[in-house]
Amino acid sequence: MSNLTPPVVILDRSQLADNIGSVARVMANFGLSELRLVSPRDGWPQDRAWATASGADWVLEGVKVFDTVAEAIADLNTVFATTARPRETRQPVRTPRESARVLYDDTASGLKTGLLFGGERAGLETTDIALCSGITTIPIDPKHHSLNLAQAVAINAYEWRTLILDAPPPRFRDQAPPASNDLLVGMYEHLETELEAGGFFYPPEKKRSMSQNLRVMLGRAAFSEQEVATFRGVIHALSKGRGRLLAKMAAKKDGAPSSTEPPCGEG
């Protein structure tokens, strides 16, 4: 199974070019090649990154830059957010070894996978973690829980590499694969737009956390492409029905027949 496409590595809001170069170095050490950057603080490219990559030029030369995490993972099916703080998202939490097994199995099933890492200081936003399939937490000693970015990438990449070398039989999915993240985000935004119109987000200051909880809840279902299409059809039908109800209410208020009912003496 050495021909498997390894997970994409996504760095969110990286601050130092040295760290990006160091990440490229460890990626090359363990056979990972695709690196994506989300809004790097100092832009891209940065000469200093090549100096610390120790010859892993092909990783840096292939870097893709995105404005948001949602855009960076849009084409991926399975993405794990690597963070020391699971936070309040109630998503599955795995060690790097456990996550590597899931990534291996999904890749063998033809899915595109990735590992998301936060910036050096702020880490990952909870709203971005909510877009992921789960959380990967490195089991470090709580007495000193500080890891630099390249170390965190190296540990996850090592677990992937070890699994590839062991080449266990993949556990193929017995159900439809999950939809890509761009389809899921489209579904989330469609639902949130209609919920906003229906007055669901109240009080307004809780909209962010309510939206986040909805995304995590729906994300756990691992919708397939067909299920996304079905669910969006449900949303559309419900919103269309709400429109008819509002039209009837307005017609009654004005004392005129609604457009969905025949005038008196007809029909």
Side-chain angles (χ1 to χ4, degrees), residues 3-249:
N3 61 338
L4 290 179
T5 301
V8 175
V9 173
I10 307 106
L11 305 183
D12 181 31
R13 293 173 296 165
S14 300
Q15 294 181 296
L16 301 175
D18 302 65
N19 288 339
I20 296 174
S22 296
V23 166
R25 178 180 182 178
V26 298
M27 287 176 61
N29 289 153
F30 297 108
L32 279 64
S33 58
E34 186 171 350
L35 177 60
R36 300 180 183 182
L37 304 179
V38 178
S39 297
R41 185 189 66 182
D42 300 325
W44 186 261
Q46 302 173 35
D47 291 341
R48 184 63 187 166
W50 270 262
T52 56
S54 296
D57 295 347
W58 68 93
V59 177
L60 296 177
E61 289 165 359
V63 162
K64 298 176 183 178
V65 181
F66 299 85
D67 293 328
T68 66
V69 168
E71 292 171 346
I73 67 175
D75 63 322
L76 306 181
N77 302 97
T78 305
V79 183
F80 290 133
T82 305
T83 175
R85 300 178 299 279
R87 307 190 184 185
E88 66 274 15
T89 59
R90 297 184 181 180
Q91 289 168 289
V93 179
R94 299 178 176 88
T95 64
R97 184 166 301 174
E98 293 167 337
S99 293
R101 180 73 216 211
V102 177
L103 296 174
Y104 175 88
D105 293 338
D106 284 0
T107 302
S109 299
L111 304 184
K112 299 185 69 174
T113 64
L115 288 162
L116 174 64
F117 298 84
E120 293 90 331
R121 296 185 64 182
L124 291 170
E125 293 284 346
T126 308
T127 51
D128 290 328
I129 296 175
L131 296 175
C132 297
S133 313
I135 292 169
T136 299
T137 297
I138 299 171
I140 54 181
D141 195 313
K143 293 180 181 178
H144 191 66
H145 53 77
S146 176
L147 278 179
N148 68 37
L149 185 57
Q151 288 174 325
V153 174
I155 291 170
N156 283 274
Y158 167 81
E159 294 294 350
W160 166 267
R161 182 68 172 177
T162 299
L163 204 58
I164 291 299
L165 293 177
D166 288 344
R171 297 176 293 212
F172 294 107
R173 287 177 170 267
D174 56 1
Q175 56 190 9
S180 59
N181 272 275
D182 59 336
L183 293 179
L184 291 176
V185 170
M187 180 184 73
Y188 299 153
E189 292 176 345
H190 186 184
L191 175 62
E192 290 161 5
T193 296
E194 297 303 334
L195 290 176
E196 179 79 48
F200 177 78
F201 296 114
Y202 185 85
E205 59 269 19
K206 290 190 176 181
K207 179 181 177 181
R208 179 184 174 94
S209 62
M210 293 170 76
S211 295
Q212 172 187 299
N213 290 338
L214 282 170
R215 292 186 178 205
V216 170
M217 179 177 66
L218 293 170
R220 284 200 296 265
F223 280 45
S224 66
E225 289 188 14
Q226 181 57 53
E227 288 168 340
V228 167
T230 300
F231 194 75
R232 293 195 68 163
V234 170
I235 298 170
H236 177 73
L238 290 174
S239 63
K240 187 176 180 180
R242 184 183 67 242
R244 289 174 175 171
L245 177 60
L246 292 174
K248 287 183 179 180
M249 293 172 63

